[in-house]
């Protein structure tokens, strides 16, 4: 196995790194203190830059307005954008990959504008009583002539505050396909309501809103892929998001280790830099070792995804994505905890990246499938395929 980046990917890495360092990191503290709100002109300027740099819609194919990056290239970008707090890196506009299943009409109306940043999507699966088990939707859609009538509520809808359309998963006829269907729903249609704007532990540039859908009339033409394809499509989304979460966690851990190491070498207590004390060295050494392991896993699964040809290949990628997400998110949590400890009292101040990451990285173990759900996926695959199938 060879995980060296090609010259093209190294150039991409440097380009994104420079954008993150020069244009995103300087905005962190003001974004944190504004509870994640970006001024409209700052958001517009950054989106312009993202388009100039050719980073918008990295996952979607070129035919629909995206960049058509390989999984490894997407991992490179995600690793770099993970190095800014407050999810400032999400400014890279990354419409949901399920939009690749759009019809030509949907492409023109929703996907191309989302890739260009003139429209924005969000993804609404989770409900009050459907979290880890996303197959028990209380949200329903019932056919009525050329339309469907959508009823239900969705929780924690990320980008629900800035998006203008949502991909909504709803229960349809259980006898057709997997019994779930994805609908493209415009958020200004009659019957769509914001039910709550809850406050969360972190302050990201995206809010997480609760939405209600009361007899919302959705044209049949707004179904993604087909009736009864909802769970299968959402699974594709989870697979891709889990790899990108792992990559962002790897990036975050690198920033934390760099900052903690630099601080330790400058901070003098008891007459010498604290970096000379073994207690500090062990925390840094464990962190560096773990981020290397997580990084290898993440690039390995991205490469496997690029090479996957059969359904069985994709199932194996699914399991490896769970392993990478599980390990990288838990690793990043440990690294953030150690970084706070190394910074001492400063590590508890919101002005320091260690404090912000300590809060922000916690959700990586929860969304797109909790650590417990990843372990269940991994264990069942072990029972089915045996240990060797997971080590290549
Ligand atoms: C900030 C944030 C943003 C989010 N953004 C989105 C979004 O944009 N769109 C969206 O649809 N959703 C979103 N989510 C929802 C997220 O995906 C869910 O919170 C997550 O899948 C867990 O579901 P839950 O919160 O209902 O927890 P539950 O499923 O109720 O789980 C509670 C606990 O029980 C454990 N558990 C559950 N089942 C098992 C089991 N079989 N074995 C062992 N343990 C189990 C879980 O691991 C967890 O520890 C977001 C959540 C957050 C916090």
């Amino acid at each position: 196995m060879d995980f060296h980046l090609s010259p093209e990917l190294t150039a991409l890495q440097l380009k994104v790194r420079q954008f993150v360092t020069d244009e995103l990191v300087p905005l962190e503290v003001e974004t944190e203190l504004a509870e994640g709100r970006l001024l409209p002109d700052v958001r517009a300027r950054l989106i312009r830059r993202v388009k100039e740099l050719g980073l918008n819609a990295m996952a979607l194919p070129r035919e629909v307005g995206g960049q058509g990056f390989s999984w490894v290239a997407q991992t490179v970008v995600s690793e770099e954008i993970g190095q800014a707090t407050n999810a400032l890196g999400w400014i890279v506009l990354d419409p949901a990959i399920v939009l690749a299943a759009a019809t030509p009409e949907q492409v023109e109306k929703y996907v191309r504008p989302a890739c260009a940043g003139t429209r924005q999507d969000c993804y609404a699966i989770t409900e009050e009583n459907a979290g880890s088990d996303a197959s028990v939707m209380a949200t329903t859609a019932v056919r009525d002539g050329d339309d469907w009538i959508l009823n239900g509520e969705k929780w924690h809808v990320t980008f629900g505050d800035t998006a203008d359309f949502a991909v909504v998963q709803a229960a349809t006829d259980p006898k057709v396909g997997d019994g779930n269907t994805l609908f493209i729903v415009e958020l200004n249609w009659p019957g769509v309501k914001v039910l709550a704007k809850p406050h969360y532990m972190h302050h990201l540039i995206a809010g997480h809103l609760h939405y209600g859908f009361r007899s919302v009339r959705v044209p049949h033409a707004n179904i993604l892929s087909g009736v009864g394809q909802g769970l299968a499509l959402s699974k594709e989304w989870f697979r891709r998001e889990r790899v990108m979460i792992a990559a962002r966690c790897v990036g975050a851990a690198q920033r934390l280790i760099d900052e903690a190491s630099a601080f330790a070498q400058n901070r003098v207590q008891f007459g010498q830099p604290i970096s000379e004390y073994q207690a500090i060295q062990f925390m840094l050494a464990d962190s560096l070792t773990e981020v290397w392991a997580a990084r290898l896993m993440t690039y390995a699964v991205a490469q496997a995804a690029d090479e996957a040809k059969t359904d069985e290949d994709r199932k194996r990628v699914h399991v490896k994505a769970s392993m990478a997400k599980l390990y990288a998110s838990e690793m990043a949590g440990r690294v953030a905890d150690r970084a706070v400890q190394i910074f001492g009292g400063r590590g508890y101040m919101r002005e320091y990246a260690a404090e912000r990451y300590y809060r922000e990285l916690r959700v990586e173990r929860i969304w797109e499938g909790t650590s417990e759900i990843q372990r269940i996926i991994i264990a069942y695959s072990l029972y089915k395929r045996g240990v060797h199938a997971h080590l290549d």
Side-chain angles (χ1 to χ4, degrees), residues 122-124 139 150 154 166-170 181-185 213:
C122 55
Y123 207 143
T139 299
L150 184 71
K154 294 291 179 184
V167 175
V168 179
Q169 183 175 319
T181 302
L182 298 185
F183 295 87
I184 299 179
V185 179
F213 303 93

Side-chain angles (χ1 to χ4, degrees), residues 265-327:
Q265 290 174 68
N266 279 305
R267 176 70 176 165
V268 174
Q269 289 293 287
F270 301 102
Q272 56 180 331
I274 60 170
S275 57
E276 295 304 310
Y277 302 125
Q278 248 184 14
I280 302 292
Q281 290 171 352
F282 283 12
M283 285 194 275
L284 289 169
D286 285 349
S287 297
L288 185 58
T289 306
E290 291 174 29
V291 75
W292 184 38
R295 188 169 191 267
L296 289 175
M297 289 173 75
T298 306
Y299 276 97
V301 65
Q303 188 169 310
D306 279 329
E307 291 166 0
K309 291 185 180 61
T310 64
D311 266 359
E312 176 58 17
D313 292 343
R314 277 182 279 278
K315 283 181 185 159
R316 286 175 184 225
V317 168
H318 198 79
V319 183
K320 286 183 171 166
S322 288
M323 291 198 265
K325 196 251 186 195
L326 171 66
Y327 186 78

Side-chain angles (χ1 to χ4, degrees), residues 2-74:
D2 177 12
F3 296 116
H4 294 290
L5 297 181
S6 65
E8 294 75 28
L9 289 176
T10 304
L12 175 68
Q13 181 188 52
L14 293 177
K15 179 169 75 171
V16 186
R17 186 170 295 170
Q18 194 168 1
F19 173 61
V20 170
T21 310
D22 296 352
E23 300 181 56
L24 299 185
V25 169
L27 296 170
E28 287 178 339
V29 175
E30 66 184 76
T31 307
E32 169 63 27
L33 299 180
E35 307 216 321
R37 277 182 297 275
L38 276 184
L39 292 173
D41 59 322
V42 174
R43 185 180 288 270
R45 185 190 78 224
L46 291 175
I47 289 177
R48 259 198 319 276
R49 286 289 294 135
V50 163
K51 289 200 282 186
E52 278 165 22
L53 294 168
L55 298 174
N56 52 312
M58 59 179 163
L60 287 172
R62 287 188 167 275
E63 305 83 82
V64 302
Q67 305 293 341
F69 283 0
S70 67
W71 281 67
V72 171
Q74 292 175 50

Side-chain angles (χ1 to χ4, degrees), residues 122-128 130-133 154-159 200 202 204 208 237-238 363 366-373 376:
C122 55
Y123 207 143
I125 306 175
T126 306
E127 302 180 353
E128 183 176 8
S132 297
D133 184 359
K154 294 291 179 184
W155 277 36
H156 309 301
V157 181
T158 300
F159 285 117
Y200 290 78
H202 54 213
L204 307 188
H208 318 285
W237 148 269
F238 285 137
V363 76
I366 295 172
W367 58 19
E368 313 303 352
T370 63
S371 288
E372 291 72 31
I373 296 305
I376 290 170

